[in-house]
Amino acid sequence: MHFAFTSEQRLDDGVLEREFTLGEIPGTLWTPPETASASAPLVLMAHNNGLPKAQPRLVARARHTAACGYAVATIDAAGCGDRPRSAAEEQARADLRRAMRAGEPVDEIFESVVGPMVEKAAPEWLTTLDALLALPGIGGPVGYSGWTALGIRLAAVEPRIAAAGFFAGGYVPRAQREEARQVTVPLLLLLQWDDEGNPRQRALDLFDAFGSKQKTLHANLGGHTGTPWFEVEDGGRFYDRHLK
């Protein structure tokens, strides 16, 4: 697939933000201010379950991480952001939202929405990883941050990923709950104790299932979007330990 940068801007903190396309895949790459280092470690930063790559919380995390010396990339993979979705996919999403609002069981609907999304998104992320590591100024090792279900798949199959930070984890497709045992890299799982959309015990069970010998769980009070900003800073120290 053809890789091309489509825009760039130097931000106030010195971070360079560039939009790119890889075939039909749109993405954003943030690289750190000019340094003497020959190459920066890469962090793949994925948003949850179809949100756009321009989601403000993700952009804030990405810019902070880039300012700390990392190249950070995100994409709108298949089914995410403005990428086309089929009528069946849109109906499944609507069914999931309705069931969650009504307090009805959502496991099977969730499987029908998120399971296929992971299957479609993972190959595009791996293709993007290949393209990014071919760019000057970007090197390994590689970290992952964000959407747990996708991150499990990537960490299980991609040996270049050396550390992973996951969010939530209460609702993860059955396939990824099984694959969690194959994840052996150092990992950090962030858990919001009162997350209305992610059952706490399931997240704890998932943490227990990971095959990693180095794994850390950070739990904070509050709902899904209430993760304290200091966790971004702690996440930076986690990547410093394992990627630098």
Side-chain angles (χ1 to χ4, degrees):
M1 278 189 273
H2 177 67
F3 181 96
F5 287 113
T6 57
S7 70
E8 71 172 60
Q9 62 172 328
R10 182 72 66 178
L11 305 176
D12 292 343
D13 54 8
V15 169
L16 181 62
E17 179 183 86
R18 288 176 284 180
E19 300 294 324
F20 65 84
T21 56
L22 178 60
E24 297 180 353
I25 305 168
T28 308
L29 174 66
W30 295 266
T31 47
E34 296 296 332
T35 67
S37 174
S39 64
L42 174 64
V43 176
L44 304 177
M45 195 167 284
H47 38 69
N48 281 2
N49 302 352
L51 291 173
K53 63 184 178 64
Q55 204 273 339
R57 287 184 297 139
L58 182 144
V59 171
R61 294 201 325 270
R63 290 183 56 173
H64 176 85
T65 304
C68 292
Y70 294 91
V72 184
T74 189
I75 63 171
D76 278 340
C80 298
D82 294 328
R83 297 283 297 277
R85 301 187 185 109
S86 69
E89 288 172 326
E90 291 288 16
Q91 184 59 53
R93 287 169 181 266
D95 291 343
L96 179 62
R97 290 191 294 268
R98 180 197 56 76
M100 292 186 74
R101 285 196 299 268
E104 299 172 356
V106 299
D107 282 285
E108 293 309 315
I109 305 175
F110 183 85
E111 290 285 338
S112 71
V113 173
V114 180
M117 192 184 302
V118 172
E119 296 297 329
K120 293 177 181 178
E124 294 195 346
W125 275 95
L126 295 175
T127 299
T128 302
L129 175 59
D130 291 337
L132 293 171
L133 288 179
L135 296 175
I138 299 178
V142 179
Y144 175 88
S145 174
W147 179 16
T148 299
L150 174 67
I152 291 172
R153 168 59 58 82
L154 296 182
V157 303
E158 176 48 71
R160 290 173 293 185
I161 293 178
F166 297 144
F167 296 159
Y171 276 123
V172 170
R174 284 186 286 267
Q176 278 67 65
R177 292 203 296 270
E178 291 297 319
E179 287 175 327
R181 294 171 174 80
Q182 302 172 34
V183 176
T184 58
V185 298
L187 67 87
L188 171 65
L189 177 65
L190 300 184
L191 170 63
Q192 286 300 101
W193 204 245
D194 309 300
D195 190 336
E196 61 282 358
N198 281 276
R200 181 190 308 162
Q201 189 58 50
R202 288 195 186 191
L204 296 174
D205 291 344
L206 179 68
F207 179 77
D208 194 46
F210 284 118
S212 303
K213 299 300 183 185
Q214 297 182 58
K215 52 183 178 180
T216 301
L217 174 70
H218 285 185
N220 291 282
L221 296 177
H224 185 68
T225 60
T227 304
W229 180 255
F230 64 72
E231 290 291 2
V232 176
E233 297 168 344
D234 283 350
R237 287 187 282 272
F238 167 76
Y239 292 117
D240 287 347
R241 288 195 297 274
H242 300 292
L243 300 183
K244 287 186 174 180

